[in-house]
Amino acid sequence: MNQILSGWAALDSRRKMIVALAALAMVISFATILRLASSNDMALLYAGLEPATAGEVVAALEASGTAFEVRGGSIYVDASVRDSTRLSLAAEGLPAAGGVGYELLDSMSGFGTTAQMFDAAYWRAKEGELARTILASRDIRAARVHLATPPQQPFARPQPVTASVTVTPARGAVDTAQAQAIRYLVSSAVAGLAGADVAVIDSVNGVVLAGEGGSDSGADPAAADPRAAQMKANLERLLSARVGPGKARVEVNIDADMDSQTITERVIDPTSRVAISSDLEEVSESAEGNAGGAVTVASNLPAGDAAKDGAGTQSNRSETRERQNFEVSETRRERIIQPGQIRRISVAVMVDGITTVDGDGGRSWAPRPEEEMAALRELVESAVGFDPARGDRISLQTLEFPAAPDRGTTAGAPAFSLLDGSVLGLVQTAVLGIVVLLLGIFVVRPLLSRPAALPAPAEADLPALGAAASAAEAIASAAPAALPTPEHTRIGKLRDLMTDRRDESADILRRWIEAPEQPEGYSR
């Protein structure tokens, strides 16, 4: 201990500062080692929870005394207790997914519960159960369901039941197929709810499917006519077999007539008649009488001129009538034109050229030959049912595709793939220990092992020091011829040392001269 204190006292201020900084670095390194050795490996417990749900999870962890860390919107716990913590929280119903469900009805008692209260709790439980079912999909991160059920009143027209579903996708956007599935799920779970009355809303990208009377602004335009998507997929599969996957881009546009028509047609052929009935009628009439004369008074008397006149008249009439009924050929046609009749098809196809690599690794691009392009065009026309009379149009071009940039990092095994987290912690601790050891050996130890600087001589000792220096110079200048070469003898080494360090040599001689004489027989 005395040696350490004397060595510290012999150091100047600069060396003391270096030693203090080295000691501080050693303390910090040891503290870091202890912290790394005592710290636990934290693993992700939950992420992406709603603020209210995350607060419930944090409160449960604090109540159970489990150590945790909150990093942004994620909750981390010790990796050794992560699975058991999840099971414990699940037993408590945490995190609550989609709100409460039918368990809400379990807490209701018959006393003090009115019909309105029960109906409100029932529809709230129904909304929670539907939200839970929607959240079962891995593509949905959050979901809310709202059901609008108007009360049934007597002497009033029934109001339709409507619903709206708001979903937050886990990644990307909610496509039309997913929205249709959600709409079908909700409409099937609620009695009296039509699918057209369910609106599906993406909280990030807007309306996906609107209810009755709305417009699907967020719907995929390509999904309006599924024939275009199917035709596009068929063309890409056909072209990739020749030009390679990813080297063909196809866009198909179908102009369809969405009007519905009903056409009724009646055609009568007058030349094709058939007699179906015939009716013949004959009429004969015969009449006889006297020829009348002039009307006088004598003709009206019984014995007058009328009795004397005996001439008479006679008439006959005969009539024949025939009627025939014919049936003519009649054709009736009724044609119903459904919406979706194709009026025109437009296809745009872009294929990559031919890329060759020379011996030096250089890449050169060239367009595809005309013969190949003509063959590809013929294949495209056959695949889409090309009709020039209908006004169809096909554009086929060969262009250079830019090279896709490399994204992410190349997958590969890490340098220490066989080491788990605990072994890596030990490796870090060992590295820090080696650094501290090297710091102590190569920095602190040389500073402490250097000899202390000798004090400057007093002014009273200058004459003696001068004499001693003269004697040292005389000794150094005297080189006996009988002695060997100075470089190979101890005296030569001592002479060189005294020449290099004259002040220290003079001080040693001064101390030796001023030292008291020792009695005979004394050995030190």
Side-chain angles (χ1 to χ4, degrees):
M1 187 66 181
N2 294 331
Q3 184 179 0
I4 296 175
L5 294 177
S6 61
W8 173 261
L11 296 177
D12 54 4
S13 59
R14 185 178 64 84
R15 292 182 178 179
K16 288 182 180 180
M17 182 65 70
I18 295 176
V19 172
L21 293 177
L24 180 61
M26 292 178 63
V27 172
I28 294 175
S29 301
F30 277 114
T32 305
I33 292 174
L34 293 177
R35 183 177 181 276
L36 291 176
S38 60
S39 63
N40 297 327
D41 187 13
M42 306 300 287
L44 178 64
L45 180 64
Y46 293 113
L49 299 177
E50 295 183 359
T53 306
E56 295 176 356
V57 172
V58 169
L61 293 177
E62 291 177 350
S64 61
T66 304
F68 65 92
E69 293 181 4
V70 178
R71 305 174 186 174
S74 304
I75 302 175
Y76 289 82
V77 296
D78 188 3
S80 60
V81 298
R82 181 190 61 181
D83 297 335
S84 60
T85 303
R86 285 182 177 175
L87 294 177
S88 301
L89 293 175
E92 300 177 7
L94 296 176
V100 294
Y102 286 130
E103 64 270 12
L104 181 63
L105 303 178
D106 298 336
S107 60
M108 300 184 65
S109 61
F111 298 98
T113 302
T114 63
Q116 291 79 7
M117 295 173 59
F118 181 81
D119 291 342
Y122 172 77
W123 289 114
R124 183 183 175 189
K126 176 76 74 173
E127 293 173 353
E129 291 294 333
L130 289 174
R132 286 179 177 177
T133 306
I134 295 172
L135 285 175
S137 174
R138 66 179 65 183
D139 297 329
I140 304 300
R141 185 168 61 88
R144 293 291 300 272
V145 180
H146 301 278
L147 300 176
T149 56
Q152 300 295 333
Q153 298 179 356
F155 307 105
R157 293 182 179 179
Q159 300 293 328
V161 181
T162 58
S164 62
V165 183
T166 303
V167 294
T168 301
R171 53 187 176 274
V174 178
D175 56 13
T176 308
Q178 293 175 338
Q180 291 285 359
I182 294 175
R183 170 182 280 184
Y184 184 78
L185 169 68
V186 176
S187 62
S188 301
V190 180
L193 178 60
D197 295 330
V198 180
V200 181
I201 303 170
D202 188 343
S203 61
V204 179
N205 303 292
V207 179
V208 182
L209 293 178
E212 185 177 1
S215 59
D216 302 341
S217 59
D220 187 6
D225 194 343
R227 294 173 297 180
Q230 183 65 30
M231 195 176 297
K232 175 182 177 181
N234 294 338
L235 289 176
E236 289 179 347
R237 183 173 62 252
L238 179 65
L239 294 175
S240 62
R242 170 60 184 173
V243 301
K247 293 186 177 182
R249 298 291 185 269
V250 180
E251 291 295 335
V252 179
N253 182 21
I254 296 179
D255 184 9
D257 186 4
M258 305 307 295
D259 296 335
S260 178
Q261 298 179 4
T262 301
I263 301 175
T264 302
E265 184 180 4
R266 180 183 179 187
V267 180
I268 298 177
D269 187 6
T271 60
S272 58
R273 60 180 184 173
V274 177
I276 59 175
S277 63
S278 179
D279 185 11
L280 181 62
E281 181 181 357
E282 295 182 356
V283 179
S284 298
E285 293 182 358
S286 177
E288 294 180 358
N290 293 327
V295 180
T296 62
V297 175
S299 62
N300 291 324
L301 295 176
D305 296 337
K308 296 178 179 180
D309 192 2
T313 62
Q314 182 177 2
S315 64
N316 295 322
R317 185 176 69 89
S318 177
E319 181 180 355
T320 302
R321 183 181 300 173
E322 183 179 5
R323 180 185 300 172
Q324 291 183 350
N325 295 327
F326 295 90
E327 284 288 344
V328 296
S329 177
E330 180 181 357
T331 303
R332 294 178 179 268
R333 296 188 182 95
E334 183 176 357
R335 184 174 59 176
I336 300 176
I337 301 177
Q338 299 291 343
Q341 296 294 323
I342 297 177
R343 291 186 295 193
R344 185 174 57 256
I345 298 178
S346 300
V347 182
V349 181
M350 181 174 61
V351 295
D352 195 5
I354 301 174
T355 303
T356 57
V357 181
D358 53 13
D360 299 334
R363 302 171 65 88
S364 60
W365 182 89
R368 296 186 179 274
E370 294 295 334
E371 295 79 6
E372 183 179 1
M373 296 298 296
L376 293 178
R377 183 182 183 87
E378 185 178 354
L379 290 175
V380 172
E381 291 178 353
S382 301
V384 301
F386 180 73
D387 187 3
R390 191 171 53 188
D392 295 349
R393 181 180 180 184
I394 294 179
S395 177
L396 179 62
Q397 300 293 333
T398 173
L399 299 173
E400 183 178 4
F401 285 14
D406 296 333
R407 297 182 178 179
T409 56
T410 304
F416 301 98
S417 59
L418 299 179
L419 301 178
D420 55 1
S422 59
V423 177
L424 287 177
L426 294 178
V427 171
Q428 294 177 356
T429 304
V431 170
L432 288 177
I434 293 173
V435 171
V436 172
L437 182 62
L438 295 176
L439 183 64
I441 293 176
F442 295 101
V443 177
V444 179
R445 186 172 179 274
L447 291 176
L448 297 178
S449 62
R450 290 182 180 177
L454 298 176
E459 295 180 356
D461 299 333
L462 292 178
L465 290 175
S470 301
E473 291 178 357
I475 294 173
S477 61
L483 294 177
T485 307
E487 288 79 2
H488 301 283
T489 60
R490 294 182 179 179
I491 298 175
K493 294 180 180 180
L494 180 60
R495 184 182 297 111
D496 295 339
L497 181 61
M498 293 175 65
T499 303
D500 296 338
R501 306 178 65 176
R502 293 186 178 184
D503 296 339
E504 290 84 350
S505 301
D507 185 64
I508 292 173
L509 289 176
R510 180 178 60 79
R511 293 180 182 181
W512 176 66
I513 293 173
E514 294 178 356
E517 296 181 359
Q518 301 294 336
E520 296 181 0
Y522 176 78
S523 62
R524 186 174 179 179

